[in-house]
Amino acid sequence: MPFNSLDYFLFLPAVYLVFYLVGDRARWGVLLAASFGFYAALKVPYLPAVLALVAVTTYCFGIWLHRAQAPGTKRMLLWGGIAANVLVLVAMKYLPFLSENLRAVTQFFSLELQVPAVRALVAIGVSYYVFQAISYLIDIYFEIEEPEPHFGYFALYLSFFPKLLQGPIERTGDLLPQLKTPYRFDYDNMRYGMLLFAWGLFKKMVLADRLGIYADAVYNDIHAANGMQLLLGTYAYAFQIFMDFSGYTDMALGTARLFNINLTQNFNSPYLATSVADFWRRWHISFSRWILDYIFKPLQMQWRDWRTWGTALALVAAFLVSGIWHGASWGFVIWGGLHGLYMACSVFYKPYQKKLYQKLGIQKSPYLKYWQMLVTFHLVCFAWVFFRVNSLSDALYICRFPFVSADNGLHKVLVHGFHAQKAGVVLVAGVVVAAYGVLARNEQALIIWNRYCALRWLCYNALLLALILLGGESQGHFIYFNF
């Protein structure tokens, strides 16, 4: 049940109405039933069963961890709980990839071993709540949090429907207390939640889906595109995936706000980052924080005797995990490895960066920041190539021939069904998004916005009108549903 579907537009008011009418003692049950119903609406029979299995397994291991006294027993329980959750994730998502590569290895070495082909399973949302379950167990092990004794609240923490399919990946201390807080109707939360949901819908339907028309046409037939089209297709995908994912996040945060629940902000203008490290502080924030806390920091401590090399290797390993988490293909592995390599190189480069800027006389230049943003954006876009391509051979073709036949002229850039009218819509919508980003950070604009009700409602209606007139040609699904 995607957020941009008619089913969800009927589902959400119905859930809220029941939630509002029942008492506080029953509200967790309403949200839990709605979450499993929301998941079941995907019409993949085993998904709710997998969610229930992860919830029961993690809940039990959390209780056992808390009760265990001996360090060896606690360590064994921790790794047992992590292994149980990882096994679920591997079974749902990675068996076809493992089977295919094992079969390739046996053929290469001429081994007499028959590896059966494994059918791919639909694993929507599994990566998100499995990672959340693992962080729950680790926090209990290190006594950062105590286990939740009420299974209903714990299951709701794991499966709360706004963040179930694409995150954010919430921490125990951030979400669980909010689920237990008595509900009181809050007009500001209701207004802000609905506005945020509409804004996310605008980003998805007006921008992401229209950019996707061009990006998909280029990437699904790269040999028919010239160099300029390959470049623009990559830029289109970069903004498509940002608008698609941040649009979903806005809708998730807006939905949760209706229930007076604040989910984690997942984006903060990532394409304005001045370094790849800064990019990951702004992009998919809940996930990058998870990778930092549970993969990078433990590895960095383990390899601290290797000093700078240990930090660099920990970064590469952490981002390889990030790539594998996104999907079972070598394209995702290379994408994660590239980001790890960027970060590792920055570890060695940083001590010399200030000296280099001083030698060049640009350390105080007002343009230095913009140069850093430009370089960072193109490093990220280069990695997106491996993230988006249909095969590694396509990625290598794009990397080798980005400027081939670029002299065909800009009049041939708008091809593959992406006409000037659609480009104009994207341009106008992009200006609206950029203007919103500027105004949202301007104190004087916020004062005017809060003071004049008529201005706010004019903007609300303009947003709805834009969705009606400019929306359409929706691809139906969100990109990160695949991960």
Side-chain angles (χ1 to χ4, degrees):
M1 193 189 302
F3 286 169
N4 56 332
S5 67
L6 178 60
D7 290 341
Y8 190 76
F9 297 155
L10 298 175
F11 168 82
L12 181 57
V15 171
Y16 178 79
L17 182 61
V18 177
F19 175 85
Y20 181 79
L21 293 176
V22 302
D24 281 330
R25 294 182 64 182
R27 284 187 170 125
W28 69 267
V30 172
L31 291 180
L32 182 60
S35 298
F36 272 84
F38 175 80
Y39 209 34
L42 296 171
K43 298 179 181 178
V44 182
Y46 46 78
L47 282 183
V50 170
L51 176 57
L53 175 64
V54 171
V56 171
T57 302
T58 307
Y59 174 80
C60 291
F61 271 98
I63 298 295
W64 297 337
L65 265 173
H66 185 64
R67 291 176 180 172
Q69 299 296 323
T73 304
K74 291 188 71 172
R75 193 178 303 110
M76 183 180 66
L77 287 169
L78 172 65
W79 284 109
I82 292 174
N85 281 302
V86 170
L87 186 61
V88 169
L89 184 58
V90 169
M92 292 293 295
K93 193 170 181 178
Y94 298 102
L95 280 183
F97 177 69
L98 294 174
S99 171
E100 179 185 341
N101 283 276
L102 184 58
R103 194 161 59 250
V105 169
T106 58
Q107 291 174 357
F108 181 80
F109 289 103
S110 302
L111 300 176
E112 296 182 2
L113 179 64
Q114 296 296 324
V115 180
V118 180
R119 184 175 63 89
L121 299 175
V122 179
I124 298 174
V126 176
S127 299
Y128 294 93
Y129 60 74
V130 163
F131 266 36
Q132 190 167 310
I134 290 173
S135 67
Y136 173 81
L137 293 176
I138 294 174
D139 287 349
I140 292 173
Y141 176 81
F142 286 107
E143 299 181 355
I144 299 171
E145 302 287 347
E146 291 192 356
E148 171 53 48
H150 191 292
F151 177 73
Y153 277 116
F154 171 75
L156 177 58
Y157 153 75
L158 211 60
S159 63
F160 184 45
F161 70 89
K163 60 91 188 166
L164 179 59
L165 300 184
Q166 286 186 220
I169 301 173
E170 295 291 338
R171 301 293 178 89
T172 312
D174 294 334
L175 182 55
L176 256 174
Q178 295 187 73
L179 298 175
K180 297 180 177 181
T181 303
Y183 177 79
R184 297 294 178 268
F185 178 80
D186 188 313
Y187 171 77
D188 288 335
N189 272 344
M190 181 67 65
R191 177 178 65 85
Y192 181 77
M194 294 176 68
L195 178 62
L196 193 57
F197 185 93
W199 183 244
L201 194 63
F202 175 84
K203 289 161 75 173
K204 164 63 177 171
M205 295 185 65
V206 178
L207 275 173
D209 286 349
R210 289 180 182 272
L211 286 166
I213 297 170
Y214 187 78
D216 289 348
V218 170
Y219 270 85
N220 290 338
D221 191 8
I222 62 169
H223 297 282
N226 62 36
M228 180 64 72
Q229 291 159 2
L230 290 174
L231 287 172
L232 291 183
T234 301
Y235 294 148
Y237 181 72
F239 285 100
Q240 177 201 1
I241 194 171
F242 169 60
M243 292 300 171
D244 189 282
F245 196 10
S246 66
Y248 174 94
T249 299
D250 288 343
M251 286 186 267
L253 269 60
T255 297
R257 188 63 73 91
L258 302 182
F259 304 98
N260 289 351
I261 292 172
N262 293 305
L263 296 180
T264 302
Q265 290 285 346
N266 235 3
F267 292 91
N268 180 23
S269 304
Y271 291 148
L272 298 182
T274 55
S275 67
V276 175
D278 188 30
F279 172 81
W280 279 102
R281 287 189 288 268
R282 297 164 174 261
W283 176 275
H284 204 173
I285 296 168
S286 63
F287 174 71
S288 57
R289 187 174 66 156
W290 196 99
I291 291 291
L292 174 71
D293 290 345
Y294 299 113
I295 303 293
F296 169 69
K297 286 182 178 179
L299 289 177
Q300 186 186 36
M301 286 297 296
Q302 188 74 22
W303 298 336
R304 61 185 179 276
D305 291 341
W306 296 355
R307 302 180 182 276
T308 303
W309 279 100
T311 300
L313 288 173
L315 284 167
V316 172
F319 278 95
L320 284 173
V321 171
S322 168
I324 294 169
W325 177 88
H326 278 82
S329 82
W330 287 109
F332 293 125
V333 174
I334 293 173
W335 171 81
L338 279 172
H339 277 276
L341 188 62
Y342 295 157
M343 299 278 279
C345 290
S346 71
V347 171
F348 294 101
Y349 167 66
K350 195 168 184 179
Y352 304 100
Q353 184 182 43
K354 191 174 181 180
K355 294 179 182 177
L356 178 63
Y357 289 165
Q358 287 176 343
K359 197 168 239 185
L360 294 174
I362 60 173
Q363 71 273 20
K364 295 182 180 180
S365 171
Y367 303 107
L368 178 59
K369 179 180 177 181
Y370 300 106
W371 169 252
Q372 292 172 329
M373 288 165 51
L374 185 66
V375 171
T376 301
F377 174 72
H378 282 88
L379 288 173
V380 170
C381 283
F382 177 71
W384 281 138
V385 170
F386 294 89
F387 194 93
R388 173 58 185 86
V389 289
N390 299 319
S391 67
L392 285 183
S393 61
D394 284 358
L396 294 175
Y397 177 86
I398 293 173
C399 293
R400 288 173 60 196
F401 302 108
F403 301 105
V404 169
S405 302
D407 59 342
N408 285 355
L410 289 177
H411 65 282
K412 293 186 178 180
V413 166
L414 297 175
V415 294
H416 304 298
F418 192 79
H419 303 296
Q421 183 183 8
K422 297 183 181 71
V425 170
V426 171
L427 181 61
V428 171
V431 170
V432 171
V433 172
Y436 172 81
V438 173
L439 293 174
R441 290 170 171 80
N442 186 288
E443 292 184 9
Q444 190 63 35
L446 289 175
I447 292 172
I448 296 173
W449 173 265
N450 293 325
R451 180 177 298 172
Y452 297 105
C453 179
L455 174 63
R456 292 199 301 271
W457 280 101
L458 178 64
C459 292
Y460 300 159
N461 285 289
L463 180 57
L464 290 175
L465 187 63
L467 281 169
I468 294 169
L469 296 179
L470 304 181
E473 303 181 69
S474 175
Q475 297 180 340
H477 68 282
F478 290 83
I479 294 174
Y480 262 70
F481 273 7
N482 301 321
F483 311 134

Tab-separated table of all heavy atoms in Angstrom, residues 181-205:
chain	number	residue	atom	x	y	z
A	181	THR	N	3.071	7.577	25.246
A	181	THR	CA	2.561	8.865	25.720
A	181	THR	C	1.073	8.992	25.419
A	181	THR	O	0.643	8.747	24.287
A	181	THR	CB	3.320	10.014	25.031
A	181	THR	OG1	4.717	9.879	25.292
A	181	THR	CG2	2.833	11.368	25.535
A	182	PRO	N	0.238	9.354	26.409
A	182	PRO	CA	-1.204	9.531	26.160
A	182	PRO	C	-1.445	10.542	25.049
A	182	PRO	O	-0.766	11.568	24.961
A	182	PRO	CB	-1.732	10.047	27.509
A	182	PRO	CG	-0.746	9.553	28.511
A	182	PRO	CD	0.587	9.564	27.829
A	183	TYR	N	-2.425	10.231	24.195
A	183	TYR	CA	-2.695	11.075	23.038
A	183	TYR	C	-3.617	12.225	23.407
A	183	TYR	O	-4.623	12.036	24.089
A	183	TYR	CB	-3.337	10.260	21.917
A	183	TYR	CG	-3.716	11.101	20.720
A	183	TYR	CD1	-2.755	11.486	19.790
A	183	TYR	CD2	-5.031	11.536	20.529
A	183	TYR	CE1	-3.085	12.261	18.692
A	183	TYR	CE2	-5.372	12.313	19.435
A	183	TYR	CZ	-4.389	12.680	18.518
A	183	TYR	OH	-4.720	13.463	17.449
A	184	ARG	N	-3.252	13.418	22.952
A	184	ARG	CA	-4.109	14.593	23.063
A	184	ARG	C	-4.133	15.282	21.709
A	184	ARG	O	-3.073	15.508	21.109
A	184	ARG	CB	-3.589	15.561	24.139
A	184	ARG	CG	-3.583	14.991	25.549
A	184	ARG	CD	-4.998	14.726	26.064
A	184	ARG	NE	-4.961	14.143	27.407
A	184	ARG	CZ	-4.960	12.842	27.639
A	184	ARG	NH1	-4.964	11.968	26.635
A	184	ARG	NH2	-4.941	12.384	28.883
A	185	PHE	N	-5.312	15.605	21.239
A	185	PHE	CA	-5.409	16.237	19.921
A	185	PHE	C	-4.623	17.542	19.900
A	185	PHE	O	-4.739	18.374	20.801
A	185	PHE	CB	-6.869	16.527	19.563
A	185	PHE	CG	-7.026	17.214	18.239
A	185	PHE	CD1	-6.976	16.493	17.062
A	185	PHE	CD2	-7.191	18.593	18.171
A	185	PHE	CE1	-7.110	17.120	15.828
A	185	PHE	CE2	-7.326	19.236	16.945
A	185	PHE	CZ	-7.283	18.498	15.766
A	186	ASP	N	-3.803	17.703	18.883
A	186	ASP	CA	-2.963	18.886	18.742
A	186	ASP	C	-3.151	19.438	17.324
A	186	ASP	O	-2.732	18.812	16.346
A	186	ASP	CB	-1.495	18.528	18.986
A	186	ASP	CG	-0.587	19.738	19.039
A	186	ASP	OD1	-0.700	20.599	18.156
A	186	ASP	OD2	0.256	19.814	19.959
A	187	TYR	N	-3.782	20.590	17.231
A	187	TYR	CA	-4.086	21.170	15.914
A	187	TYR	C	-2.811	21.437	15.118
A	187	TYR	O	-2.752	21.186	13.909
A	187	TYR	CB	-4.880	22.469	16.070
A	187	TYR	CG	-5.036	23.226	14.777
A	187	TYR	CD1	-5.970	22.822	13.810
A	187	TYR	CD2	-4.235	24.341	14.492
A	187	TYR	CE1	-6.097	23.499	12.604
A	187	TYR	CE2	-4.361	25.023	13.286
A	187	TYR	CZ	-5.289	24.594	12.349
A	187	TYR	OH	-5.410	25.261	11.151
A	188	ASP	N	-1.785	21.953	15.789
A	188	ASP	CA	-0.544	22.260	15.077
A	188	ASP	C	0.093	20.991	14.504
A	188	ASP	O	0.615	21.006	13.381
A	188	ASP	CB	0.441	22.967	16.020
A	188	ASP	CG	0.020	24.397	16.323
A	188	ASP	OD1	-0.699	24.983	15.490
A	188	ASP	OD2	0.382	24.914	17.401
A	189	ASN	N	0.093	19.912	15.280
A	189	ASN	CA	0.621	18.648	14.772
A	189	ASN	C	-0.190	18.142	13.587
A	189	ASN	O	0.362	17.651	12.595
A	189	ASN	CB	0.619	17.588	15.873
A	189	ASN	CG	1.893	17.609	16.697
A	189	ASN	OD1	2.885	18.194	16.296
A	189	ASN	ND2	1.868	16.990	17.858
A	190	MET	N	-1.513	18.264	13.687
A	190	MET	CA	-2.385	17.822	12.597
A	190	MET	C	-2.118	18.640	11.324
A	190	MET	O	-1.968	18.093	10.234
A	190	MET	CB	-3.843	17.958	13.033
A	190	MET	CG	-4.855	17.511	12.003
A	190	MET	SD	-4.807	15.735	11.673
A	190	MET	CE	-5.306	15.092	13.264
A	191	ARG	N	-2.052	19.961	11.480
A	191	ARG	CA	-1.815	20.830	10.327
A	191	ARG	C	-0.442	20.568	9.720
A	191	ARG	O	-0.310	20.422	8.495
A	191	ARG	CB	-1.930	22.299	10.758
A	191	ARG	CG	-1.627	23.306	9.647
A	191	ARG	CD	-1.805	24.733	10.151
A	191	ARG	NE	-0.851	25.074	11.183
A	191	ARG	CZ	0.393	25.516	10.944
A	191	ARG	NH1	0.821	25.645	9.702
A	191	ARG	NH2	1.193	25.832	11.932
A	192	TYR	N	0.568	20.508	10.573
A	192	TYR	CA	1.921	20.285	10.073
A	192	TYR	C	2.050	18.916	9.421
A	192	TYR	O	2.700	18.767	8.373
A	192	TYR	CB	2.921	20.413	11.226
A	192	TYR	CG	4.355	20.222	10.796
A	192	TYR	CD1	5.049	21.227	10.130
A	192	TYR	CD2	5.022	19.020	11.046
A	192	TYR	CE1	6.360	21.050	9.724
A	192	TYR	CE2	6.335	18.830	10.650
A	192	TYR	CZ	7.001	19.850	9.986
A	192	TYR	OH	8.301	19.658	9.584
A	193	GLY	N	1.430	17.892	10.019
A	193	GLY	CA	1.507	16.550	9.457
A	193	GLY	C	0.883	16.468	8.078
A	193	GLY	O	1.452	15.868	7.152
A	194	MET	N	-0.296	17.085	7.917
A	194	MET	CA	-0.965	17.055	6.616
A	194	MET	C	-0.184	17.837	5.568
A	194	MET	O	-0.064	17.422	4.409
A	194	MET	CB	-2.383	17.602	6.767
A	194	MET	CG	-3.287	16.725	7.625
A	194	MET	SD	-4.917	17.446	7.897
A	194	MET	CE	-5.606	17.350	6.246
A	195	LEU	N	0.376	18.975	5.977
A	195	LEU	CA	1.168	19.774	5.046
A	195	LEU	C	2.428	19.028	4.628
A	195	LEU	O	2.797	19.010	3.442
A	195	LEU	CB	1.533	21.112	5.694
A	195	LEU	CG	2.410	22.058	4.860
A	195	LEU	CD1	1.702	22.458	3.572
A	195	LEU	CD2	2.786	23.301	5.668
A	196	LEU	N	3.095	18.394	5.587
A	196	LEU	CA	4.315	17.653	5.285
A	196	LEU	C	4.015	16.471	4.364
A	196	LEU	O	4.787	16.171	3.446
A	196	LEU	CB	4.968	17.168	6.582
A	196	LEU	CG	6.399	16.629	6.497
A	196	LEU	CD1	7.339	17.666	5.906
A	196	LEU	CD2	6.888	16.199	7.873
A	197	PHE	N	2.889	15.811	4.598
A	197	PHE	CA	2.495	14.697	3.734
A	197	PHE	C	2.260	15.191	2.308
A	197	PHE	O	2.725	14.580	1.332
A	197	PHE	CB	1.225	14.036	4.274
A	197	PHE	CG	0.824	12.804	3.518
A	197	PHE	CD1	1.257	11.557	3.936
A	197	PHE	CD2	0.034	12.884	2.381
A	197	PHE	CE1	0.904	10.405	3.225
A	197	PHE	CE2	-0.326	11.754	1.670
A	197	PHE	CZ	0.109	10.506	2.092
A	198	ALA	N	1.532	16.313	2.165
A	198	ALA	CA	1.261	16.862	0.835
A	198	ALA	C	2.552	17.289	0.148
A	198	ALA	O	2.717	17.120	-1.062
A	198	ALA	CB	0.289	18.037	0.943
A	199	TRP	N	3.482	17.849	0.913
A	199	TRP	CA	4.767	18.274	0.351
A	199	TRP	C	5.557	17.073	-0.160
A	199	TRP	O	6.145	17.097	-1.246
A	199	TRP	CB	5.551	19.032	1.416
A	199	TRP	CG	6.858	19.585	0.953
A	199	TRP	CD1	8.091	19.237	1.396
A	199	TRP	CD2	7.068	20.594	-0.042
A	199	TRP	NE1	9.060	19.968	0.742
A	199	TRP	CE2	8.456	20.796	-0.140
A	199	TRP	CE3	6.212	21.340	-0.843
A	199	TRP	CZ2	9.007	21.721	-1.006
A	199	TRP	CZ3	6.769	22.255	-1.725
A	199	TRP	CH2	8.139	22.437	-1.800
A	200	GLY	N	5.552	15.993	0.608
A	200	GLY	CA	6.226	14.780	0.158
A	200	GLY	C	5.582	14.190	-1.073
A	200	GLY	O	6.262	13.699	-1.985
A	201	LEU	N	4.259	14.247	-1.137
A	201	LEU	CA	3.534	13.755	-2.305
A	201	LEU	C	3.884	14.580	-3.545
A	201	LEU	O	4.034	14.040	-4.647
A	201	LEU	CB	2.030	13.813	-2.033
A	201	LEU	CG	1.109	13.055	-2.987
A	201	LEU	CD1	1.390	11.556	-2.939
A	201	LEU	CD2	-0.348	13.326	-2.636
A	202	PHE	N	4.029	15.881	-3.364
A	202	PHE	CA	4.432	16.773	-4.453
A	202	PHE	C	5.822	16.383	-4.974
A	202	PHE	O	6.048	16.274	-6.180
A	202	PHE	CB	4.422	18.215	-3.942
A	202	PHE	CG	4.924	19.233	-4.927
A	202	PHE	CD1	4.082	19.772	-5.887
A	202	PHE	CD2	6.245	19.664	-4.894
A	202	PHE	CE1	4.541	20.713	-6.800
A	202	PHE	CE2	6.723	20.603	-5.792
A	202	PHE	CZ	5.861	21.132	-6.755
A	203	LYS	N	6.759	16.162	-4.079
A	203	LYS	CA	8.117	15.795	-4.478
A	203	LYS	C	8.139	14.464	-5.226
A	203	LYS	O	8.891	14.299	-6.201
A	203	LYS	CB	9.017	15.731	-3.243
A	203	LYS	CG	9.312	17.105	-2.654
A	203	LYS	CD	9.782	17.022	-1.216
A	203	LYS	CE	11.185	16.544	-1.077
A	203	LYS	NZ	11.657	16.624	0.327
A	204	LYS	N	7.312	13.528	-4.765
A	204	LYS	CA	7.271	12.216	-5.419
A	204	LYS	C	6.605	12.277	-6.788
A	204	LYS	O	7.174	11.833	-7.793
A	204	LYS	CB	6.530	11.239	-4.492
A	204	LYS	CG	6.053	9.946	-5.152
A	204	LYS	CD	7.201	9.105	-5.671
A	204	LYS	CE	6.665	7.791	-6.259
A	204	LYS	NZ	7.727	7.056	-6.966
A	205	MET	N	5.371	12.813	-6.834
A	205	MET	CA	4.563	12.706	-8.049
A	205	MET	C	4.935	13.725	-9.117
A	205	MET	O	4.883	13.432	-10.316
A	205	MET	CB	3.078	12.833	-7.698
A	205	MET	CG	2.555	11.696	-6.834
A	205	MET	SD	0.778	11.796	-6.544
A	205	MET	CE	0.146	11.553	-8.205
